[in-house]
Amino acid sequence: MTAIRVLLVDDDPLVRAGLSFMMGGADDIEIVGEAADGREVEALVDRTGPDVVLMDIRMPSMDGLTATERLRGRKDAPQVVVLTTFHADEQVLRALRAGAAGFVLKDTPPAEIVDAVRRVAAGDPVLSPSVTRRLMEHAAGAAADTRRARARARIEALNDREREVAVAVGRGLSNAEIAATLFMSVATVKTHVSRILAKLDLNNRVQIALLAYDAGLLEESEEDGH
């Protein structure tokens, strides 16, 4: 089995040492490099070819948000998981909009962080429905109306079935749960998700969820009793 290649990015050497020690015990994970600042990330990615980058948000020279945006704009970019001490802050939300696959709290139990790396490497976002709701609630504010108008314009590219799948993704359902809810096969769900990502030029399911929220699709779904 090929090991999952992980790059650690955090300005605190103790945090990096702890993460390295934690993941060193996993047979299927290999730490291929460490960085103390976002400025180092792109060169290290080129040199080490990680599958997953664990990215701290707050760093002195270049923060994790900027580094994430630069990485996710590249072809064949590695997946990014944000490391944070906060359950939901504006910077984490911005990182997710930039294409991060999710986030983990720094005080998360070691086994869960290892599992998060495995899930992201497999293409699954690391956000529970409860966390997604908190982030989406945090996103509401003065710019909500502008975001909604822009999101609705983008959502128009989807057909009715794709909109239903987007809503289900926004509710935090897995592919299997979406298949059961919408009476389709898991393979068909995966096809719809891939088409949604392509049509809307999105990176991952987290961004589908955020766009569905911004467009008001989740509210409409609740009003309809779904």
Side-chain angles (χ1 to χ4, degrees), residues 136-195:
M136 290 175 175
E137 289 164 2
H138 190 77
D145 288 342
T146 300
R147 281 200 308 272
R148 175 156 298 192
R150 290 175 178 171
R152 283 188 174 276
R154 293 182 69 186
I155 288 292
E156 288 299 317
L158 304 182
N159 62 38
D160 290 344
R161 202 56 163 164
E162 289 164 347
R163 284 168 65 100
E164 289 178 332
V165 172
V167 169
V169 170
R171 290 170 54 203
L173 301 184
S174 67
N175 285 342
E177 290 169 332
I178 296 173
T181 301
L182 299 181
F183 306 103
M184 61 177 70
S185 69
V186 172
T188 301
V189 173
K190 290 180 179 179
T191 297
H192 281 309
V193 170
S194 295
R195 286 176 179 168

Side-chain angles (χ1 to χ4, degrees), residues 1 22 68 71 95 109 120 135 174 186 202 218:
M1 179 176 62
M22 176 194 311
T68 296
L71 273 186
V120 166
L135 282 169
S174 67
V186 172
L202 301 176
L218 303 187

Side-chain angles (χ1 to χ4, degrees), residues 113-135:
I113 294 181
V114 171
D115 181 60
V117 168
R118 289 176 177 141
R119 287 173 53 195
V120 166
D124 295 325
V126 185
L127 283 179
S128 69
S130 61
V131 170
T132 302
R133 280 195 299 274
R134 284 203 300 273
L135 282 169

